[in-house]
Amino acid sequence: MPLSTLTYRSITEAQMLPRLIRLGPNLYGAVFTLMKLVPAQYILRRALQRGELTEDTVIVETTSGTFGLALAMQAALMERDLVLVSDPAIDDNLYRRLTDLGAKVEMCLEPAPVGGYQGARLAKVAEIRASLPSTFCPEQYNNPDNARSYHVVAEQLVRTFGTVDCLVGTVGTAGSMCGTGGGLREYSPQTQVIGVDSHRSVLFGQPDGPRSLRGLGNSLWPANLDHTLFDEIHWCNAAEAYAQTRALHAESALFQGPTSGAAHLVAQWWAAKNPDGLCVVMLPDEGYRYQATVYDDAWLAANGQLLPERPTEPVTVASPAEAGDRWTRLVWGRRSYEEVPGVVPRVTHPLAERALS
């Protein structure tokens, strides 16, 4: 008996592409169960095809979030050993799930002088790889296959909507926005791409600093980041992202994480300002990891993250140097990093800068 077309070969294949859900008259959400499955599956399959991932090869990667979970799921299905290097930002529930899937998790407890925890994690990855005879590192920050993997999402959006006038999403490794946005631009060069970042992230010109909002932003500049792709950049703080995450759940019954809330805050504003334009917002992962934090009013209040009311529009500035600590908008204008006034000098790290052949 032939299998139904609704069957899948694995759970990762079933959960890879987003559901496209209408959130407003001209706003649609690309709702992922776990967005990082897209690059994890693609990168590992490409490594297999190139002969870089044999039966004895250990996969080693740096992560404090959902890319590690996606790799752990894929590695379990492929029956490959996996070592993940993380930091205190990883939560207990995620740690337990990673280890239950067979991953070994190495913790970096102190940040590096340059690059913070990400710099420390990269150094630890290099140390682990040097101690093993055969390893493969997906290098999510620098691997061009990260961005390439999201072309399948761009193709899905084009098939469904034709022209997308605006794509909104958070930026961390830059793979999802540069890959999806670049794919949409091949079909419609006029598509606007809006990146959502966290204050005190170096990605778009702010100085590095502590960030309570995780899953977006960076202390290092990933090679996957193409600044000339972006029309606008928005920065928001943790309380704003958390409040919008809760509103997304209350108003649309979408139970997503805080990166989704940050992106939805900006997309909802853009869609209202541009009623004739079709906007798609990337909503990366579900909210189960955040039930005891973002979805708990007592936790929000105890941590100073409970807003009396949600912001309705951003403050527009002319340079990253003018950004305060609330929701802020900068017209980036598809410029290179060096063309934007007020950016801090680029933060480099020898391990993050390594070119891939």
Side-chain angles (χ1 to χ4, degrees):
M1 177 183 298
L3 290 175
S4 165
T5 56
L6 294 179
T7 62
Y8 297 92
R9 290 175 294 182
S10 69
I11 186 62
T12 56
E13 184 179 279
Q15 294 181 342
M16 192 174 70
L17 288 178
R19 296 158 289 162
L20 303 178
I21 298 175
R22 191 176 189 185
L23 302 176
N26 61 329
L27 175 61
Y28 288 83
V31 183
F32 292 85
T33 300
L34 182 60
M35 186 173 71
K36 293 291 188 176
L37 284 172
V38 177
Q41 185 178 92
Y42 186 84
I43 288 170
L44 294 183
R45 284 183 176 178
R46 290 273 292 165
L48 275 173
Q49 292 167 359
R50 292 191 296 260
E52 299 173 355
L53 193 54
T54 67
E55 291 183 359
D56 298 323
T57 301
V58 179
I59 304 166
V60 185
E61 180 61 302
T62 166
T63 178
S64 63
T66 53
F67 187 63
L69 177 56
L71 283 177
M73 293 170 69
Q74 198 65 34
L77 294 171
M78 297 171 65
E79 299 181 340
R80 295 296 192 278
D81 290 333
L82 172 65
V83 179
L84 297 173
V85 179
S86 192
D87 62 52
I90 194 170
D91 62 86
D92 291 340
N93 290 334
L94 177 58
Y95 180 90
R96 284 194 295 269
R97 189 168 178 191
L98 292 173
T99 54
D100 202 47
L101 285 164
K104 180 181 180 182
V105 182
E106 296 276 358
M107 299 292 290
C108 292
L109 300 179
E110 297 294 335
V114 176
Y117 278 110
Q118 279 133 324
R121 281 159 32 191
L122 286 167
K124 185 64 175 178
V125 166
E127 177 187 324
I128 292 170
R129 297 190 72 186
S131 71
L132 296 171
S134 177
T135 65
F136 171 75
C137 183
E139 298 192 77
Q140 61 169 323
Y141 299 110
N142 296 344
N143 192 336
D145 280 340
N146 184 350
R148 289 189 192 114
S149 70
Y150 286 96
H151 278 228
V152 68
V153 178
E155 292 166 1
Q156 179 190 18
L157 297 180
V158 170
R159 286 196 309 269
T160 304
F161 301 115
T163 297
V164 173
D165 296 296
C166 182
L167 178 74
V168 179
T170 55
V171 185
T173 68
S176 62
M177 284 302 290
C178 289
T180 308
L184 289 176
R185 285 269 176 81
E186 292 177 7
Y187 178 81
S188 53
Q190 73 274 21
T191 295
Q192 292 190 44
V193 176
I194 298 180
V196 183
D197 197 4
S198 172
H199 290 288
R200 291 170 295 281
S201 158
V202 305
L203 294 179
F204 295 96
Q206 289 196 25
D208 187 30
R211 301 184 300 277
S212 55
L213 180 58
R214 308 292 294 193
L216 69 165
N218 215 314
S219 295
L220 298 170
W221 196 359
N224 286 321
L225 178 55
D226 178 5
H227 290 91
T228 65
L229 185 75
F230 292 91
D231 294 280
E232 295 184 14
I233 298 302
H234 290 238
W235 295 275
C236 68
N237 63 43
E240 292 164 338
Y242 298 162
Q244 193 68 22
T245 304
R246 297 288 296 276
L248 181 63
H249 185 221
E251 297 166 7
S252 300
L254 286 178
F255 190 55
Q256 298 295 111
T259 49
S260 295
H264 185 253
L265 177 70
V266 176
Q268 192 174 58
W269 170 83
W270 189 95
K273 292 287 185 182
N274 300 272
D276 296 327
L278 188 143
C279 181
V280 174
V281 56
M282 303 278 274
L283 305 177
D285 66 329
E286 293 181 322
Y288 295 102
R289 291 173 54 205
Y290 312 100
Q291 286 179 286
T293 54
V294 176
Y295 286 93
D296 185 337
D297 287 346
W299 183 91
L300 291 173
N303 287 274
Q305 303 290 2
L306 192 60
L307 283 184
E309 58 181 312
R310 286 181 286 144
T312 57
E313 60 182 336
V315 174
T316 299
V317 298
S319 81
E322 300 174 18
D325 196 43
R326 58 153 292 182
W327 179 15
T328 307
R329 167 181 176 259
L330 171 65
V331 178
W332 192 268
R334 305 190 188 187
R335 290 175 287 181
S336 69
Y337 189 84
E338 290 74 19
E339 291 176 307
V340 176
V343 298
V344 298
R346 180 182 174 185
V347 176
T348 61
H349 190 286
L351 294 171
E353 290 292 302
R354 181 174 56 196
L356 295 174
S357 57

